[in-house]
Structures are given as structure tokens and as C-alpha cells.
């Protein structure tokens, strides 16, 4: 077996693979092991800009932080970003190569696997241990042919696999045994044991089941991870709607839950801030009063702009501004605030143009080249907070022009970004991560009317969560025994 590779697969989506990789990575990092995360293929709309300037899945950027290393394109060699129910943008080694249907991508998989193998080989040369995260479940037999995400990869590089299952969903033993039953003989042999995730209650009541599982399968249970209430890690894809319970939260921030929303982790900091009531508003829901409306990023800006109109947001935003509210657009949301969004090359969908909300005197043309960069600077419009420092990243294809650019929202080290309306109520920016720093978050909230907000840096909160998670992993799992079983 590959001596420096260990793969974590799950019985289902959201079984805890991403969390376990982050926890194991931090635990081994604390022990002085040089460890890196790796996910052969990820389908997600939350992404990040790597240290080497490519677009990667946000989950692997977060796991890299847990491992104490800089994120690189090799940690997320294949990223699929859905632009519709039938098509996705395919990103290889940090660069978009094409939009493909599921059928087209199936035929492209051998090429994608070559990229995966090349990235894995480089990581193995650089690190003592590579922690690999699978995708979904290895028992999805309809996806077995040309698989590069789960057992197809594990078989190709000959690495051991730990299977994680979520007991909170119920039926944990059926999850595990059923998964094993659907694997081939060689794939079953590759699984060296199990981790049970999100357990709450008396462990003594679970032990007879664990003993049965080990006896039935001949494989060990490496550990049972407890339910960690309030654990915060950036979501891989699905919107996290929970937030701190704050009875005094009076400042309402509304975000439309766009069908093709991207990088919704922009709002994690707001979701976790005391005094802020962050409200996601989905289709068919009637939004109430708000202090600030934020239009998020989108993987299909024209389609999501039309969704806004069809769901009554044009009227709602007009009324909101009439009563003194503020509106902020981020990336695709910024483009929607302008006069028009034109996609002449059909980058996101069929070629065409749609009218924007007309709240900023700008217009955007979607181009074929995607801009990818990590940036820092200051918020120009910061009111009582002075020139607040901000840092984040830009991932976009659009080129935006117009008269309102003379009033930028952010001054970056390499130029200006965004625009503010003449009356100061509407602003837009391409900067993701605007709320992640305490100073940036407080300044934007002050612009929208919430003075002296109690904010904190998201990076500091994330670090505390890594440590908490690693403590739980070390308490539940014999890491030395796991490495010995893995041959690593």
C-alpha cells in the first residue's frame, strides 16, 4: 500500500468526511507530522483562491488551514461548479477548461484522472502523510465506471480507506454493512476500519453494536466521535442556516437563497455575529423588513437575476431603499445591481443579455477569462470606523464598466474595486470574504446603520474550532493505531 496516503470515505453525503479530515489533519499537525489534505474530485459552488493562484474547493482550503499549510491547486485538482441542473464548469488544476454535461464529463474522466494522479504524486513527494477525502458514497454503483472520486482513486493508487458513518441520521450499522455489501471484494478489503460520527448519549449503550459490527465485518471501529454542538467549519456546499441564539439581535440582514448561489460562506461571519439576525430567504418566502439586503455571488448570474424578479425581489428592494435601507452586492450580486448583464460568449449559459436592477450606473460583460486573486486593502466607505482594513479574494469572469465606478467601495493594494451609488445606499464589490475580518465586518455594518457592532475575525474563530475538533479526535481515536493499521 502507499505508505503516505490514507483515504476517508463516507457512507453518504454529509457523513462527516470533510470534518474528519480537518480534525485528523490538525491532530497530526500538532504532533509534528507534515500532513496535507487532498480531494480528487469535488462538486461544489464554494471555492477559494489557492496560494499558487488557482481556484480550488473551499473545503480543501479550510482543511489546509487545519493542517497548517498553504492551500495549493494539487489539493483540489478537479472542481465541478454546476451552472444548471445539467451542466457544470470543469476546473482542472485551478483553471476552468470547459462547461460540460454529465455525459460529456463522463467521457472526460480519464483526462481528469490523469490530473488527479499527477497532483497526488506531487503531494506524496512533499508531505509525510496525505489525507484524502472521498465524495458522496463509494456505494453509488451507477457512478462506478471511470470513478475518480472514491474507490476508483483508492484502487488506482493502492491506498487504505477508513469509512465514516453519521449515527445522528439513524441506521448507522445498516449504513456501514450496506455500503460494504455494494463494494467489490478488493474494495471491501481496502477498508481498514470505521469511524462513527456525531454520537450523543451514553457510549455504553452503543458498545454492543460496535462489538457486533467488528465481529460481523472483521474490521475495527477506530473511534466514536461525539456530537460537537455549535461546531463551526466553512460549509463545503450546502447553506448553513443555524446561527448563534441571540435574543437581542435587532439588525436584520436578508440574503436571497439564489438557486445557483456561490461562495455563500461570505455570510458565515455575519451568521455568527452577536446582534445580527441573518435571514436566508428562499423561493416562495415573503421577506419582511430588513436593515441590509445582500445579493450573493452566483454561478449563473443571468438566471439568478431572473429568479430575483420572478420572486418579487425587485419590488421588495425598491421598497426597502425607499424606507432608508441599504443594499450590497457581492460578485454576481454586484453585477445584478447594474443596468445589464451580457454573456455574449455563453460562458454561464446560452449567449444573451438580461436587464439588471438598475441601482448602479454600471454594466457587466461576462468574459471567457476568469480573474483569480487573493487581495487586501481598505474599505473606502467606512463611516465612523475609519479606513477599515479588509482582505479576501476575487473569482469572477465579468468586466464591469460605468459611471458609478468613480465612487469605489474598496481600495485594494492593486487598484480600486466596486462602486457606490450617488446617494450612498447601494454598493457592490467583487471582493469575497468582506465580512471575515472584524474591522471589515464592523465597517460594512456601520455603513448599513449598525454602529459599534461587536465583531470578531473569522480566522480566529476557525482556529479555535480546529483545536476543539482535534481535541475530540485525539480523545476518540487512537491515532498511533490508525497509522499502524494504515501502514502509514
Amino acid at each position: 500500500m502507499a505508505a503516505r496516503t490514507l483515504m476517508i470515505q463516507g457512507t453518504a453525503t454529509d457523513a462527516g468526511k470533510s470534518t474528519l479530515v480537518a480534525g485528523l489533519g490538525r491532530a497530526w499537525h500538532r504532533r509534528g507530522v507534515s500532513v496535507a489534505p487532498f480531494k480528487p474530485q469535488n462538486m461544489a459552488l464554494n471555492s477559494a483562491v489557492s496560494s499558487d493562484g488557482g481556484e480550488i474547493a473551499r473545503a480543501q482550503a479550510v482543511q489546509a488551514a487545519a493542517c497548517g499549510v498553504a492551500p495549493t491547486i494539487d489539493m483540489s485538482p478537479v472542481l465541478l461548479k454546476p451552472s444548471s441542473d445539467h451542466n457544470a464548469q470543469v476546473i482542472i488544476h485551478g483553471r476552468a477548461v470547459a462547461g460540460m454535461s454529465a455525459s460529456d464529463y463522463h467521457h472526460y474522466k480519464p483526462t481528469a484522472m490523469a490530473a488527479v494522479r499527477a497532483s497526488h504524486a506531487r503531494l506524496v513527494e512533499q508531505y509525510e502523510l496525505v489525507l484524502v477525502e472521498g465524495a458522496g458514497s463509494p456505494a453509488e454503483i451507477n457512478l462506478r465506471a471511470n470513478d475518480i472520486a472514491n474507490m476508483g482513486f483508492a484502487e488506482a493508487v493502492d491506498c487504505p480507506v477508513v469509512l465514516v458513518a453519521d449515527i445522528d441520521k439513524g441506521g448507522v450499522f445498516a449504513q456501514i454493512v450496506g455500503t460494504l455489501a455494494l463494494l467489490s471484494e478488493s474494495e471491501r478489503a481496502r477498508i481498514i476500519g470505521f469511524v462513527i460520527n456525531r454520537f450523543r448519549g451514553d457510549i455504553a449503550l452503543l458498545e454492543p453494536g460496535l462489538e457486533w459490527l467488528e465481529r460481523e465485518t472483521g474490521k475495527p471501529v477506530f473511534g466514536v466521535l461525539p456530537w460537537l454542538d455549535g461546531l463551526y467549519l466553512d460549509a463545503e456546499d450546502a447553506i448553513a442556516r443555524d446561527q448563534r441564539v441571540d435574543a437581542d439581535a435587532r439588525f436584520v440582514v436578508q440574503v436571497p437563497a439564489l438557486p445557483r448561489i456561490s461562495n455563500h460562506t461570505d455570510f458565515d461571519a455575519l451568521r455568527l455575529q452577536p446582534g445580527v439576525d441573518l435571514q436566508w430567504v428562499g423561493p416562495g418566502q415573503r421577506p419582511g423588513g430588513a436593515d441590509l439586503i445582500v445579493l450573493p455571488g452566483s454561478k449563473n448570474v443571468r438566471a439568478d437575476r431572473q429568479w430575483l424578479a420572478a420572486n418579487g425581489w425587485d419590488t421588495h428592494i425598491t421598497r426597502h431603499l425607499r424606507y432608508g435601507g441599504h443594499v450590497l452586492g457581492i460578485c454576481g450580486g454586484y453585477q445584478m445591481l447594474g443596468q445589464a448583464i451580457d454573456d455574449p460568449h455563453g460562458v454561464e449559459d446560452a449567449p444573451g443579455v438580461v436587464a439588471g436592477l438598475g441601482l448602479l450606473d454600471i454594466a457587466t460583460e461576462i468574459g471567457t477569462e476568469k480573474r483569480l486573486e487573493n487581495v487586501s486593502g481598505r474599505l473606502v466607505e467606512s463611516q465612523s470606523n475609519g479606513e477599515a482594513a479588509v482582505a479576501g479574494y476575487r473569482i469572477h469572469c465579468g468586466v464591469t464598466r460605468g459611471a458609478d465606478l468613480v465612487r469605489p467601495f474598496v481600495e485594494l493594494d492593486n487598484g480600486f474595486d466596486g462602486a457606490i451609488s450617488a446617494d450612498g445606499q447601494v454598493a457592490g464589490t467583487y471582493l469575497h470574504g468582506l465580512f471575515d475580518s472584524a474591522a471589515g465586518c464592523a465597517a460594512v455594518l456601520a455603513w448599513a446603520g449598525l454602529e459599534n457592532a461587536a465583531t470578531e475575525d473569522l480566522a480566529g474563530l476557525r482556529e479555535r474550532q480546529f483545536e476543539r475538533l482535534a481535541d475530540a479526535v485525539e480523545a476518540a481515536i487512537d491515532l498511533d493505531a490508525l497509522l499502524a493499521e494504515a501502514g502509514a
Side-chain angles (χ1 to χ4, degrees):
M1 290 186 178
R4 291 183 292 180
T5 299
L6 175 64
M7 190 168 193
I8 307 299
Q9 296 184 10
T11 56
T13 296
D14 195 36
K17 300 182 293 293
S18 297
T19 302
L20 182 57
V21 168
L24 288 171
R26 175 51 62 98
W28 273 313
H29 171 65
R30 295 196 308 197
R31 294 183 172 205
V33 178
S34 172
V35 57
F38 178 67
K39 186 161 185 172
Q41 173 187 290
N42 200 334
M43 178 176 281
L45 287 172
N46 287 337
S47 59
V49 178
S50 64
S51 62
D52 45 1
E55 185 175 8
I56 65 173
R58 188 163 189 84
Q60 278 58 70
V62 172
Q63 290 166 350
C67 294
V69 297
T72 68
I73 58 174
D74 282 331
M75 297 173 186
S76 177
V78 178
L79 174 61
L80 308 177
K81 300 186 74 174
S83 54
S84 70
D85 290 342
H86 304 289
N87 289 276
Q89 185 181 64
V90 178
I91 297 169
I92 303 292
H93 287 154
R95 292 290 182 269
V97 297
M100 298 185 190
S101 66
S103 176
D104 290 339
Y105 180 67
H106 180 75
H107 294 296
Y108 183 81
K109 276 187 177 181
T111 301
M113 176 61 109
V116 166
R117 295 288 300 272
S119 286
H120 175 255
R122 286 191 287 266
L123 291 176
V124 165
E125 289 300 314
Q126 296 172 51
Y127 296 93
E128 296 175 70
L129 177 64
V130 176
L131 284 174
V132 186
E133 180 188 344
S137 161
E140 294 167 351
I141 54 178
N142 57 307
L143 301 177
R144 179 74 56 84
N146 295 328
D147 171 56
I148 69 174
N150 290 300
M151 284 299 181
F153 170 81
E155 297 267 74
V157 303
D158 190 23
C159 74
V161 174
V162 171
L163 188 66
V164 59
D166 179 5
I167 195 171
D168 192 58
K169 290 184 172 69
V172 71
F173 301 113
Q175 291 178 42
I176 293 172
V177 175
T179 297
L180 293 177
L182 291 174
L183 300 180
S184 70
E185 184 177 346
S186 64
E187 291 168 346
R188 281 194 297 273
R190 193 165 296 286
I191 294 180
I192 59 172
F194 317 112
V195 169
I196 292 177
N197 190 29
R198 299 188 182 116
F199 177 75
R200 26 185 161 189
D202 184 352
I203 192 70
L205 298 177
L206 185 62
E207 286 172 352
L210 303 181
E211 294 169 1
W212 175 90
L213 182 63
E214 293 185 333
R215 190 168 59 248
E216 181 74 15
T217 65
K219 301 176 187 294
V221 176
F222 289 116
V224 178
L225 286 172
W227 175 275
L228 296 176
D229 191 46
L231 179 71
Y232 163 72
L233 289 180
D234 304 49
E236 184 170 36
D237 198 40
I239 293 175
R241 296 176 184 269
D242 60 310
Q243 68 177 78
R244 291 176 177 172
V245 177
D246 185 358
D248 296 324
R250 295 290 182 269
F251 191 85
V252 176
V253 179
Q254 286 176 351
V255 185
L258 303 174
R260 296 298 168 195
I261 189 172
S262 64
N263 292 80
H264 62 71
T265 48
D266 281 338
F267 303 98
D268 284 358
L270 283 179
R271 179 171 59 88
L272 298 166
Q273 294 300 341
V276 174
D277 179 10
L278 180 71
Q279 300 176 356
W280 291 98
V281 183
Q285 294 180 313
R286 185 184 178 91
D291 299 283
L292 172 64
I293 293 174
V294 187
L295 303 184
S298 167
K299 190 64 191 71
N300 192 326
V301 181
R302 288 183 299 137
D304 279 346
R305 164 66 191 110
Q306 292 170 322
W307 182 91
L308 282 179
N311 282 269
W313 279 91
D314 293 38
T315 301
H316 176 60
I317 290 172
T318 299
R319 184 187 309 114
H320 169 78
L321 291 170
R322 188 165 61 245
Y323 284 97
H326 287 69
V327 176
L328 174 67
I330 299 175
C331 201
Y334 169 38
Q335 295 171 351
M336 294 180 202
L337 292 174
Q339 305 298 322
I341 306 114
D342 187 10
D343 187 358
H345 309 289
V347 173
E348 296 184 340
D349 210 330
V353 60
V354 299
L357 286 157
L359 300 176
L360 288 176
D361 188 4
I362 59 170
T364 299
E365 180 177 306
I366 306 297
T368 56
E369 293 297 319
K370 184 179 288 191
R371 187 167 188 171
L372 301 165
E373 58 184 343
N374 292 304
V375 294
S376 60
R378 66 183 185 90
L379 194 69
V380 175
E381 180 61 55
S382 56
Q383 289 194 4
S384 61
N385 287 272
E387 296 181 351
V390 293
Y393 56 100
R394 297 196 287 192
I395 302 177
H396 66 92
C397 295
V399 176
T400 299
R401 301 179 178 89
D404 278 348
L405 296 183
V406 299
R407 291 182 298 274
F409 194 60
V410 181
E411 182 180 0
L412 301 173
D413 296 338
N414 60 352
F416 293 98
D417 180 276
I420 306 173
S421 63
D423 62 9
Q425 285 184 262
V426 180
T429 177
Y430 278 117
L431 183 63
H432 292 285
L434 187 63
F435 300 108
D436 289 2
S437 72
C441 186
V444 175
L445 292 175
W447 166 74
L450 179 61
E451 297 286 350
N452 303 314
T455 57
E456 65 174 322
D457 285 316
L458 199 62
L461 173 62
R462 190 182 291 119
E463 275 296 309
R464 294 195 296 274
Q465 298 300 305
F466 288 153
E467 290 296 307
R468 179 188 178 200
L469 178 58
D471 289 343
V473 166
E474 293 221 38
I477 299 174
D478 185 336
L479 297 181
D480 294 329
L482 177 55
L483 282 183
E485 284 287 339

